[in-house]
């Protein structure tokens, strides 16, 4: 049970951390740094920070040639998800993009069912539908404007890439620590974005001031390093489908960031959406617990045994 609890907490933590992506990215865009440079800084700084931590703890980076090829593939898939999501911010509101991104639990469930014959329990389907309805309420009343087709396609491709990444992490033959796996995935991502800059002939934008540098460090730490590390831990402990459903905290986090930092209002529909999303999380956790939810377990065993010997009072006399 402790293993599953760790998986649930890591899954929620990964979603919350990943949900802070738009806040940091939009600030850096406004500061004149293009998406390609933001992504390179984000992954490169994360690799440096994790590498320093592993060196301090004397963690080995040794991998076989076969493992290295699979790690590079994982890095490419993960970086593809990031770059398509970041470019979608140029065509639609970041909050809406984060909402659309949440179709990836459905994609994970479909991939697991088609390729690995995994049966999706009815309760998981219910939790996904519940979470999707709650997320729809978060953005109730945004107006009837038509969404950008290019933006929607970018988000859908980002969602599919993220779903594939989660499934591969779960089903791959890789047997290594979460820290080492995270390091190589982020390193491969940094190399992809560096190559992208080189091929496009786009110069790496300089960091204009210390405040921008702080935002870049936070972007590398929270929605990149911490998010990917906790995501991998969650997949290892509770599986890919459950981890994906726990990801409904991402758009909820985006809404909270907007309220706290961008002074956006929180109306009735948004509050109702938050309640429904939290309900969906509760359904997932209770349904996937080892013994299920049994209220009678809240009563101590000794007390239950004692109660059995108490004869009912006869009021007929």
């Amino acid at each position: 049970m402790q293993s599953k609890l760790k998986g649930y907490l890591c899954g929620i933590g990964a979603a919350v951390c990943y949900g802070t992506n738009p806040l940091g990215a939009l600030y850096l865009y406004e500061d004149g740094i293009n998406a390609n440079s933001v992504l390179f800084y984000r992954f490169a700084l994360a690799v440096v920070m994790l590498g320093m931590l592993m060196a301090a703890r004397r963690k080995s980076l040794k991998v076989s040639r076969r493992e290295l090829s699979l790690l590079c593939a994982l890095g490419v898939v993960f970086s593809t998800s990031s770059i398509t999501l970041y470019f979608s911010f140029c065509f639609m509101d970041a909050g809406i993009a984060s909402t659309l991104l949440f179709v990836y639990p459905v994609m994970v469930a479909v991939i697991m069912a088609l390729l690995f014959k995994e049966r999706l329990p009815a309760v998981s389907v219910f939790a996904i539908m519940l979470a999707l309805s709650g997320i729809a309420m978060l953005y109730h009343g945004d107006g009837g404007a038509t969404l950008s087709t290019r933006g929607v396609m970018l988000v859908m491709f980002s969602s599919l890439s993220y779903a594939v990444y989660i499934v591969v992490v779960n089903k791959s033959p890789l047997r290594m620590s979460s820290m080492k796996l995270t390091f190589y995935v982020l390193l491969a991502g940094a190399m992809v974005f560096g190559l992208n800059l080189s091929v496009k002939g786009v110069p790496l934008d300089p960091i204009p001031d210390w405040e921008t540098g702080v935002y870049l460090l936070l972007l590398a730490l929270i929605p990149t390093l911490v998010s990917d590390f906790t995501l991998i831990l969650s997949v290892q402990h509770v599986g890919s489908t459950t981890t994906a459903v726990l990801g409904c905290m991402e758009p909820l986090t985006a809404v909270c960031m907007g309220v706290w930092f961008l002074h956006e209002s929180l109306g009735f529909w948004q509050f109702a959406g938050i309640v429904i999303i939290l309900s969906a999380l509760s359904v997932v956790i209770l349904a996937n617990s080892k013994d299920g939810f049994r209220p009678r377990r809240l009563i101590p065993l000794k007390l239950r045994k004692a109660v059995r010997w108490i004869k009912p009072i006869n009021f007929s006399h």
Side-chain angles (χ1 to χ4, degrees):
M1 186 60 190
Q2 287 184 347
S3 176
K4 286 208 168 188
L5 178 60
K6 182 178 181 180
Y8 298 140
L9 293 176
C10 285
I12 294 172
V16 170
C17 291
Y18 200 74
T20 62
N21 247 321
L23 186 65
L26 292 176
Y27 174 84
L28 293 168
Y29 290 172
E30 292 177 358
D31 213 32
I33 301 180
N34 65 64
N36 293 292
S37 295
V38 169
L39 286 163
F40 176 78
Y41 280 126
R42 174 190 168 192
F43 276 71
L45 290 173
V47 170
V48 171
M49 286 189 284
L50 184 55
M52 292 173 63
L53 177 61
M54 294 182 70
R57 299 181 63 179
R58 297 184 179 180
K59 296 289 184 180
S60 172
L61 290 175
K62 185 177 180 180
V63 292
S64 66
R65 187 173 300 177
R66 181 183 177 185
E67 288 175 332
L68 184 60
S69 61
L70 185 52
L71 288 167
C72 288
L74 275 173
V76 171
V77 173
F78 188 66
S79 58
T80 299
S81 177
S82 295
I83 197 168
T84 47
L85 178 64
Y86 270 48
F87 275 106
S88 75
F89 296 161
C90 301
F91 301 98
M92 63 172 63
D93 291 340
I96 296 176
S98 298
T99 303
L100 294 175
L101 182 70
F102 190 70
V103 300
Y104 75 81
V106 179
M107 294 180 178
V108 169
V110 171
I111 293 172
M112 295 298 291
L114 292 178
L115 299 184
F116 301 99
K117 310 301 180 183
E118 181 178 286
R119 186 179 65 86
L120 186 64
V123 68
S124 295
V125 176
F126 173 72
I128 290 173
M129 295 299 104
L130 194 64
L132 288 173
S133 63
I135 291 168
M137 287 185 177
L138 291 181
Y139 296 95
H140 182 85
D142 272 317
T146 303
L147 295 178
S148 164
T149 302
R150 185 179 297 180
V152 171
M153 293 300 293
L154 284 169
V155 176
M156 291 299 102
F157 196 75
S158 174
S159 184
L160 178 60
S161 302
Y162 199 52
V164 171
Y165 176 75
I166 291 175
V167 171
V168 174
V169 168
N170 185 26
K171 295 297 183 179
S172 72
L174 292 171
R175 296 294 179 266
M176 61 181 64
S177 69
S178 303
M179 189 175 290
K180 184 189 292 187
L181 178 57
T182 304
F183 176 83
Y184 278 104
V185 167
L186 296 180
L187 177 61
M191 294 173 67
V192 167
F193 295 126
L195 182 63
N196 180 52
L197 286 169
S198 177
V199 170
K200 288 184 175 180
V202 178
L204 182 66
D205 289 334
I207 302 174
D209 50 50
W210 67 269
E211 189 175 358
T212 303
V214 170
Y215 267 90
L216 283 169
L217 285 173
L218 290 175
L219 193 64
L221 179 63
I222 299 174
T224 309
L225 177 55
V226 176
S227 176
D228 191 47
F229 180 68
T230 49
L231 175 75
I232 291 171
L233 283 175
S234 181
V235 171
Q236 291 173 344
H237 287 285
V238 296
S240 53
T241 303
T242 300
T243 299
V245 178
L246 294 174
C248 63
M249 289 296 291
E250 290 174 24
L252 191 153
T253 302
V255 170
C256 292
M257 293 293 104
V259 172
W260 292 336
F261 297 103
L262 303 178
H263 308 292
E264 297 176 354
S265 60
L266 182 66
F268 169 78
W269 289 106
Q270 286 77 18
F271 181 77
I274 290 173
V275 173
I276 291 176
I277 287 173
L278 294 178
S279 300
L281 285 177
S282 300
V283 168
V284 171
I285 293 173
L286 293 177
N288 288 279
S289 61
K290 184 176 181 180
D291 300 318
F293 180 62
R294 301 179 182 178
R296 66 192 300 268
R297 286 187 178 273
L298 299 177
I299 304 174
L301 180 60
K302 291 183 178 180
L303 181 57
R304 295 204 305 270
K305 288 182 176 179
V307 171
R308 291 173 188 170
W309 293 98
I310 300 176
K311 295 182 178 180
I313 301 173
N314 191 343
F315 290 99
S316 62
H317 298 292

